[in-house]
Amino acid sequence: MGKSVKLGKLTMLNILLFGFMGQVAWAVENNYFNTFLFNEIGGNSQDISRMVAASSVAAVLTTLLMGTLSDKVGKRKIFISGGYILWGITVMAFALISRENVGRLLGMDAVAALSATVSIVIIMDCVMTFMGSTSNDAAFNAWITDITVDENRARTEGVLATLPVLALVIVTVAFGVCATQFGYPACFLGLGILVSVCGLIGMFTIKDSLNGEKKDTKFTEALIYGFRPQVVRENRGLYLSLLSFCIYSIAVQVFFPYLFIYVQHQIGLDLGSLNITPVFAIVAVLVVGGVIAGAVIMGDRMDKKGRARYAIPSVLFLVVGLIAVYFAKTLAVFGVCAIVFIAGYGLISILLSAAIRDFTPEDKAGSFQGIRMIFGVMIPMIIGPAIGSAVTEQFALKTYTNDYGEVVNVPPPHIFLAAAVVAIMIIIPLVFLIKEWKRIESEKANAENK
């Protein structure tokens, strides 16, 4: 498929549909699977850390294998659409998981059933992650890289960067209220159906970005391509972008797996009794609309003005916002402070995601998705939640008694301070990446003047 600076309407529809549904599913997995394990099953912060780490490893291995496979067979569409259908089915399977069901099925007492159910949740999270990473992380992300060019990547990333925010807002309200009113099983069933329907729609709407020609390169050679020292040296800009993204993602993962638990049990937000008035709904729509417009505008400016000038300010927004949230004691103050770090979060995501696509070799988009996942998911989701868990055990200000009478520590505000300390270190590789951006901009300017 030929590339164009202007993306067609059907292409944009698929970017929005699959990007949004994927982010909704990941938002539920990253947040409500944790609260499901914490509140409903009886797990603790260490169990959450283990689940996040296990799913991150599953995500990386899946993306590395399936992304390379999609390059090898010369197809993206079947991996995207088929993957989404199966992804939805695995989400629906969570409706069947409970301590009571596991205890009855395996003939266990309450104590043994707890351990077994926690293990089943973690295993099923990895199975679900396999399907999600095949369709979204490997195939969909490679498809985006295939169809975009330097002149529209930051703008496209601006659109994509709004989808996690929009998904998080919808998931926070809709899934939270639904879980309180109807229970987690109903929510898992509903979400799974939506994800599978999305995959079915894609069967008729997605135009494959590859021509179906199989590559002669051996699968194992393609699999290890991105790990070769020579490839790293030849793609300095790509690996600096990945390293920057890795530190950024570690900072986010210090607090993100515990965010909903923190808001619910430390700040005191009761999603079940949330009063959604017309005024509240209008304000929410305006805020989300403003975030989307701002992200698209900033992405467009990055395309036109260059990436370098926005790098350091974006990091400072994130760091200042995280420090401000640490001092927030009420929900209102927390919400205002969160806007600052969300702005930094979004700007860095747009900036570095576009940079990774810019520096990715065109004929290796699928293979490099696994490398991207190592830096952006596996390493951060092993290190970040472990830091958050350690901080929780050391500085917890409150405890929570779950439905089974077990006392567990509630994540404290210190997780945001720890995240800020990690986030400031993004500047180290970013300084070298800025030099790469400026070098490329200078080369382009010289070429245009000749």
Side-chain angles (χ1 to χ4, degrees):
M1 185 172 79
K3 292 188 177 183
S4 172
V5 173
K6 186 176 181 180
L7 300 174
K9 293 180 180 179
L10 187 58
T11 298
M12 284 304 304
L13 174 64
N14 283 311
I15 289 174
L16 291 171
L17 176 62
F18 282 87
F20 175 68
M21 250 354 281
Q23 289 304 324
V24 168
W26 286 137
V28 170
E29 194 258 356
N30 290 332
N31 293 284
Y32 279 105
F33 276 30
N34 298 338
T35 60
F36 172 66
L37 185 62
F38 191 82
N39 294 337
E40 300 293 313
I41 303 302
N44 55 35
S45 62
Q46 289 94 339
D47 294 324
I48 292 174
S49 179
R50 283 192 289 270
M51 181 172 71
V52 171
S55 66
S56 70
V57 173
V60 168
L61 293 177
T62 299
T63 306
L64 190 61
L65 290 168
M66 303 308 283
T68 302
L69 183 61
S70 70
D71 276 349
K72 177 71 175 176
V73 301
K75 294 180 180 180
R76 306 279 192 225
K77 179 176 178 177
I78 188 62
F79 291 92
I80 298 173
S81 297
Y84 267 73
I85 292 170
L86 295 175
W87 191 6
I89 292 172
T90 58
V91 172
M92 286 186 267
F94 277 84
L96 303 175
I97 302 176
S98 70
R99 276 170 73 163
E100 293 73 19
N101 287 346
V102 171
R104 283 194 297 268
L105 181 65
L106 301 180
M108 293 179 170
D109 59 25
V111 176
L114 168 59
S115 178
T117 307
V118 167
S119 297
I120 289 172
V121 170
I122 294 174
I123 292 170
M124 279 304 301
D125 188 29
C126 291
V127 173
M128 190 217 69
T129 297
F130 174 81
M131 298 303 175
S133 290
T134 294
S135 54
N136 187 271
D137 295 324
F140 178 72
N141 270 296
W143 181 76
I144 293 290
T145 302
D146 293 339
I147 64 173
T148 55
V149 293
D150 290 354
E151 290 78 11
N152 63 21
R153 282 206 177 108
R155 184 162 62 252
T156 304
E157 288 297 338
V159 173
L160 290 172
T162 67
L163 300 181
V165 177
L166 182 59
L168 187 59
V169 171
I170 292 175
V171 165
T172 300
V173 178
F175 199 96
V177 172
C178 182
T180 302
Q181 297 295 326
F182 305 106
Y184 279 89
C187 295
F188 291 139
L189 285 172
L191 175 62
I193 290 170
L194 289 175
V195 174
S196 292
V197 168
C198 179
L200 288 171
I201 293 172
M203 290 289 188
F204 304 97
T205 60
I206 293 178
K207 184 177 181 181
D208 211 318
S209 58
L210 301 180
N211 56 17
E213 293 182 5
K214 294 183 179 180
K215 293 185 177 180
D216 295 331
T217 308
K218 291 182 179 180
F219 182 77
T220 51
E221 291 180 1
L223 196 63
I224 64 172
Y225 177 81
F227 297 97
R228 296 173 180 171
Q230 182 180 350
V231 173
V232 176
R233 289 192 296 270
E234 292 173 352
N235 295 274
R236 175 183 170 86
L238 173 60
Y239 286 88
L240 283 171
S241 302
L242 289 169
L243 181 58
S244 301
F245 197 79
C246 181
I247 300 173
Y248 156 73
S249 298
I250 290 173
V252 171
Q253 288 299 323
V254 169
F255 69 89
F256 203 73
Y258 311 102
L259 181 59
F260 278 30
I261 297 171
Y262 175 84
V263 171
Q264 184 178 2
H265 296 290
Q266 188 75 43
I267 298 295
L269 174 61
D270 185 358
L271 294 171
S273 61
L274 192 62
N275 184 22
I276 305 177
T277 63
V279 174
F280 178 90
I282 292 172
V283 171
V285 170
L286 290 175
V287 169
V288 172
V291 169
I292 293 173
V296 173
I297 291 170
M298 289 305 301
D300 192 55
R301 289 184 65 84
M302 288 178 190
D303 281 332
K304 293 177 179 178
K305 303 294 184 180
R307 323 278 198 234
R309 68 181 64 188
Y310 298 98
I312 302 301
S314 298
V315 176
L316 295 179
F317 262 105
L318 178 62
V319 172
V320 171
L322 288 169
I323 294 173
V325 166
Y326 166 73
F327 290 103
K329 304 300 181 185
T330 65
L331 181 60
V333 176
F334 180 89
V336 172
C337 295
I339 293 174
V340 181
F341 89 71
I342 289 173
Y345 169 89
L347 287 171
I348 297 174
S349 178
I350 294 170
L351 189 78
L352 295 179
S353 295
I356 290 168
R357 295 194 197 280
D358 288 343
F359 290 115
T360 298
E362 287 194 10
D363 60 337
K364 301 290 184 181
S367 298
F368 273 102
Q369 296 310 310
I371 304 297
R372 178 182 62 81
M373 291 290 285
I374 290 174
F375 284 89
V377 176
M378 187 180 78
I379 295 174
M381 291 180 76
I382 291 174
I383 298 176
I387 294 173
S389 177
V391 170
T392 296
E393 296 307 307
Q394 182 67 32
F395 298 101
L397 305 175
K398 291 183 178 180
T399 57
Y400 167 72
T401 303
N402 62 30
D403 294 341
Y404 297 93
E406 297 152 343
V407 178
V408 291
N409 289 325
V410 173
H414 300 72
I415 57 175
F416 299 105
L417 195 60
V421 172
V422 176
I424 198 68
M425 291 189 285
I426 302 171
I427 292 176
I428 298 172
L430 207 54
V431 168
F432 297 97
L433 181 58
I434 289 171
K435 292 180 180 179
E436 286 293 304
W437 276 325
K438 289 182 177 179
R439 178 183 62 79
I440 292 173
E441 289 173 7
S442 177
E443 290 175 356
K444 284 184 178 180
N446 291 334
E448 289 174 357
N449 292 331
K450 288 183 180 179

